[in-house]
Amino acid sequence: MEQNKPKTKFSRRSFLKATGATSAVLGLSGLGFFGYEAGRDPASYTGWKTFEGGDQTFPRHRFTVNEPPYEKVGPTRRVDPRSEIVFSRLPTFVRYWRQDPRIESLPEHLQKYYQEHPEDLELDLENIKVLRPKLMADQEKYGRTFLLAEAWSEAMAAVVPPRITEPPEKADFPYVGWGRGQEKLRRPYKLKSPAKTSRLIKKIAHELGATLVGIARLNPDWVFQYPIPGRGLDPNQPLEIPSHWEYAIVVGTPMSWDPMYANPNYGTSEDAYSISRIIAYRLAAFIKYLGYAARPHTPGYSYDLMVPPIMIDAGLGEQARSSIVITPELGPNFRAAVVTTNIPLKPDKPIKFGVESFCKTCKICAEQCPSGAITKGDKVVVRGYRKWQLHAAKCYNFWNSNLGNMGCRLCIAVCPYTRKANWLHRAALNLSSNDPTGLSHDALTQLQKIFYPGPNPQDYYIPSLGGKNASYRRPPWWLRTEDFIEFE
Amino acid sequence: MSIFNSGFFWFIEGILTCLVILGIKTWAEDRGIKLTWWKWLLILLWFSLAGFTLAFVGTSLGENEPIAALRGGVLFGVLTIILGVACWRLLSLKKKKN
């Protein structure tokens, strides 16, 4: 009987083997779908979905160091914004040059600057004589493509806090009875400890919407030599650093990620600037209510100091080759603001997580920068500190050589640190941060170049300057003007 | 939230992994192949590479980076196939009987 029993075609063992093979196919396919979801998940745009830093995953505490990762090599000097900051220099230059186009007609500080930096005089002249007229002509021809991007930027910039009209001795301090002729200095409340206050301030900043918050003792070297207009101070008189600017609280928020990848023309700095600006004003109000002095410094608008080195001091990131700060959570994709205060705080420690070593080998930003403003060379000594120096005049000239929103931000878009916080890029970040040999930095840079190539840098220019109005990536659907607006 | 980035997805992946292990074990027994620790290690590494390749392609497509998906798929895919063939040959090795 046993011998006559027909053999089953599909035995238990065959079933196990078939199930195993099917499971392998399903399991591996599942990983493909998992990857797809991870890639498109907006939650991996760190800081943008929640704003509050709750989705930050980098173990920052493991990378703290006692001294900031920059080198002080000689006598230091504070920056003179009137000549060394292009946004301040160029309007003055234009105003004087149009009246009398001779070096001798310029204010003394500009004469001195241009004598020391003759290349910048040529670049500034090129800006007003060549670039701006061409830009205006191309704006007529091609500008409509970027209409929605400009509208988006305009919307983000629409809310602006009132300008500071009084000097720090008055404007920074809290008064009660404001506006009734009975102003009285608010008495500061006694605080239990600087550490507790720091924790409180950080929590409040996050609640106000800050993704990044750090605290530093203010290094006077980072304060401008002269105030910029609109700060309640005389721009022609040297800025005496008030004694109540003891600490600097830095807050930062990311720029919207998808437009940022479509730079230099679709992204805008205004989205993050405006949010960081409002957070800084609110945080200053919070501190003042406790009876302490506080003054918001909001770049892109109204400030008395350089923000990037304060961010480094506050342990938020390291300086990159492009001269901007790279943070572990957002890469360089953020805009920051500062509140100077005398509320007793416990400063954060700086961090060092491999950016310097990575930037030494990477150079992608320098290769992609259309203007050549980012050096491919070594660090240089600037005002007593060794750093990578951005050629700001070249950078700013490119701002006037592309359409869409003001600025460029390409160095942010192409940076390997400007990537989503998904499994792939977090693995790369962890690898590069924990590699003391720097071997992985070379490999990761090569992979970045292979996998994420950009257009030819010349293509980013306007057509009048030999370009194609190119952007690093396609804009998101909601900024494609041609899909929404019918032009006659 | 999609099922593919939920905890349930990894639960299913765990079950599928167990079934794959069981299938490989049965297959090896039927062919008279003894699976030593290093052979299991090779299998694990190969599956990890294959999984990484597919996840990389998927992630790049999700990120709207088709060039990365294509180049990564070709680069890692070819590597996966070559190592898969090598792995298969190694796994299939039997001791010669004198």
Side-chain angles (χ1 to χ4, degrees):
Chain A
M1 285 292 283
E2 281 293 315
Q3 285 171 348
N4 293 338
K5 188 179 175 183
K7 280 186 180 175
T8 50
K9 282 183 181 172
F10 204 66
S11 69
R12 178 179 163 274
R13 296 189 74 80
S14 299
F15 174 74
L16 282 175
K17 285 189 279 186
T19 307
T22 311
S23 299
V25 172
L26 286 175
L28 289 173
S29 309
L31 289 176
F33 285 108
F34 152 76
Y36 183 71
E37 287 299 330
R40 67 199 284 264
D41 187 356
S44 60
Y45 280 156
T46 311
W48 191 246
K49 191 183 178 191
T50 63
F51 277 119
E52 296 182 7
D55 49 0
Q56 294 184 9
T57 54
F58 192 79
R60 176 180 294 276
H61 60 278
R62 281 178 39 209
F63 298 91
T64 53
V65 288
N66 289 325
E67 295 298 323
Y70 49 70
E71 199 184 347
K72 190 175 174 178
V73 289
T76 60
R77 175 177 69 77
R78 285 156 57 192
V79 69
D80 183 350
R82 300 171 307 166
S83 53
E84 291 178 281
I85 293 186
V86 67
F87 314 117
S88 299
R89 180 179 74 239
L90 211 55
T92 314
F93 172 69
V94 171
R95 199 167 65 243
Y96 282 87
W97 196 261
R98 283 196 177 141
Q99 286 175 358
D100 183 1
R102 291 178 306 122
I103 285 283
E104 299 76 45
S105 74
L106 298 174
E108 201 176 323
H109 65 271
L110 277 189
Q111 288 186 37
K112 186 168 175 271
Y113 179 79
Y114 284 130
Q115 278 160 6
E116 289 169 4
H117 303 88
E119 191 188 357
D120 281 9
L121 176 62
E122 284 177 31
L123 288 165
D124 289 355
L125 281 171
E126 184 193 22
N127 186 304
I128 58 173
K129 285 184 171 174
V130 181
L131 302 180
R132 289 187 189 197
K134 288 195 173 184
L135 186 71
M136 285 171 76
D138 275 23
Q139 176 69 28
E140 286 289 316
K141 280 188 194 172
Y142 311 101
R144 61 170 66 170
T145 308
F146 308 104
L147 182 75
L148 286 185
E150 289 165 3
W152 157 252
S153 184
E154 190 73 8
M156 291 309 291
V159 181
V160 179
R163 281 189 181 271
I164 296 170
T165 53
E166 292 176 311
E169 296 72 36
K170 176 83 175 169
D172 297 5
F173 283 89
Y175 287 86
V176 287
W178 187 259
R180 293 175 196 158
Q182 298 170 332
E183 290 93 349
K184 194 172 73 175
L185 200 60
R186 188 186 285 274
R187 223 182 86 202
Y189 288 95
K190 192 179 173 191
L191 299 162
K192 290 197 169 179
S193 78
K196 280 192 171 184
T197 312
S198 292
R199 186 165 169 248
L200 174 69
I201 291 293
K202 285 185 178 182
K203 175 61 183 166
I204 296 297
H206 281 311
E207 285 292 321
L208 292 173
T211 306
L212 303 169
V213 191
I215 296 169
R217 192 173 282 282
L218 181 64
N219 180 345
D221 286 350
W222 311 140
V223 180
F224 293 161
Q225 268 185 51
Y226 288 82
I228 61 172
R231 296 293 290 167
L233 290 159
D234 182 353
N236 297 313
Q237 294 299 317
L239 198 166
E240 298 287 335
I241 301 173
S243 59
H244 62 269
W245 292 6
E246 289 181 58
Y247 300 96
I249 306 161
V250 194
V251 294
T253 50
M255 289 177 270
S256 184
W257 289 82
D258 287 331
M260 188 274 306
Y261 282 124
N263 275 316
N265 26 35
Y266 287 93
T268 175
S269 302
E270 278 303 329
D271 52 1
Y273 268 146
S274 68
I275 297 167
S276 295
R277 179 188 305 152
I278 291 167
I279 294 167
Y281 271 82
R282 286 178 169 165
L283 191 60
F286 181 88
I287 293 168
K288 282 182 173 180
Y289 202 84
L290 300 182
Y292 294 88
R295 182 179 182 85
H297 303 264
T298 55
Y301 168 69
S302 181
Y303 54 121
D304 302 314
L305 35 75
M306 293 191 292
V307 176
I310 299 174
M311 291 193 71
I312 296 169
D313 291 348
L316 289 175
E318 281 185 67
Q319 198 215 13
R321 176 176 291 279
S322 54
S323 197
I324 48 185
V325 171
I326 288 183
T327 66
E329 296 85 3
L330 306 176
N333 181 36
F334 65 86
R335 293 293 185 230
V338 172
V339 175
T340 47
T341 180
N342 62 356
I343 195 169
L345 295 168
K346 185 186 173 197
D348 291 304
K349 284 188 170 184
I351 57 167
K352 195 167 162 59
F353 62 107
V355 170
E356 185 186 19
S357 164
F358 195 95
C359 284
K360 270 184 187 166
T361 57
C362 175
K363 300 182 185 176
I364 288 175
C365 57
E367 289 161 6
Q368 277 280 302
C369 177
S371 67
I374 301 171
T375 177
K376 290 177 186 167
D378 293 330
K379 293 182 175 185
V380 293
V381 178
V382 183
R383 294 184 290 273
Y385 292 91
R386 196 182 301 282
K387 65 189 283 277
W388 276 302
Q389 175 74 335
L390 178 82
H391 197 144
K394 286 184 181 175
C395 177
Y396 190 67
N397 275 10
F398 182 70
W399 293 23
N400 288 287
S401 309
N402 75 89
L403 294 172
N405 286 323
M406 190 61 173
C408 167
R409 296 166 294 273
L410 256 176
C411 50
I412 297 173
V414 304
C415 178
Y417 283 94
T418 311
R419 286 281 152 193
K420 285 184 144 191
N422 58 36
W423 69 276
L424 182 62
H425 306 302
R426 285 287 133 171
L429 176 65
N430 284 321
L431 179 63
S432 70
S433 304
N434 291 292
D435 175 11
T437 66
L439 288 173
S440 67
H441 299 170
D442 283 329
L444 289 169
T445 300
Q446 291 311 315
L447 290 174
Q448 174 82 11
K449 286 180 181 175
I450 293 168
F451 294 140
Y452 308 105
N456 184 329
Q458 179 62 34
D459 293 349
Y460 293 119
Y461 280 91
I462 50 174
S464 296
L465 294 166
K468 296 177 181 171
N469 285 334
S471 54
Y472 178 61
R473 290 290 180 266
R474 272 194 90 195
W477 64 269
W478 47 278
L479 290 185
R480 293 177 200 159
T481 310
E482 64 278 11
D483 290 350
F484 295 94
I485 294 180
E486 196 86 54
F487 290 105
E488 289 175 5
Chain B
M1 185 193 229
S2 155
I3 193 172
F4 291 104
N5 53 16
S6 67
F8 183 68
F9 167 74
W10 292 107
F11 174 70
I12 299 291
E13 280 289 311
I15 292 173
L16 293 175
T17 305
C18 293
L19 292 173
V20 172
I21 292 169
L22 205 59
I24 291 171
K25 187 170 171 289
T26 311
W27 169 80
E29 283 170 0
D30 285 359
R31 294 191 56 153
I33 297 166
K34 194 186 172 198
L35 286 177
T36 54
W37 67 267
W38 63 266
K39 285 185 179 177
W40 277 114
L41 184 66
L42 276 181
I43 292 166
L44 176 74
L45 289 175
W46 185 82
F47 269 95
S48 301
L49 179 63
F52 170 80
T53 304
L54 287 163
F56 181 92
V57 172
T59 303
S60 300
L61 289 174
E63 287 180 339
N64 208 12
E65 293 282 0
I67 295 175
L70 180 68
R71 292 182 180 177
V74 170
L75 183 71
F76 299 126
V78 168
L79 198 65
T80 305
I81 291 166
I82 291 170
L83 291 177
V85 171
C87 201
W88 181 270
R89 296 292 298 270
L90 273 172
L91 285 180
S92 306
L93 280 181
K94 294 177 194 173
K95 277 188 180 175
K96 284 182 182 175
K97 289 177 182 174
N98 291 323

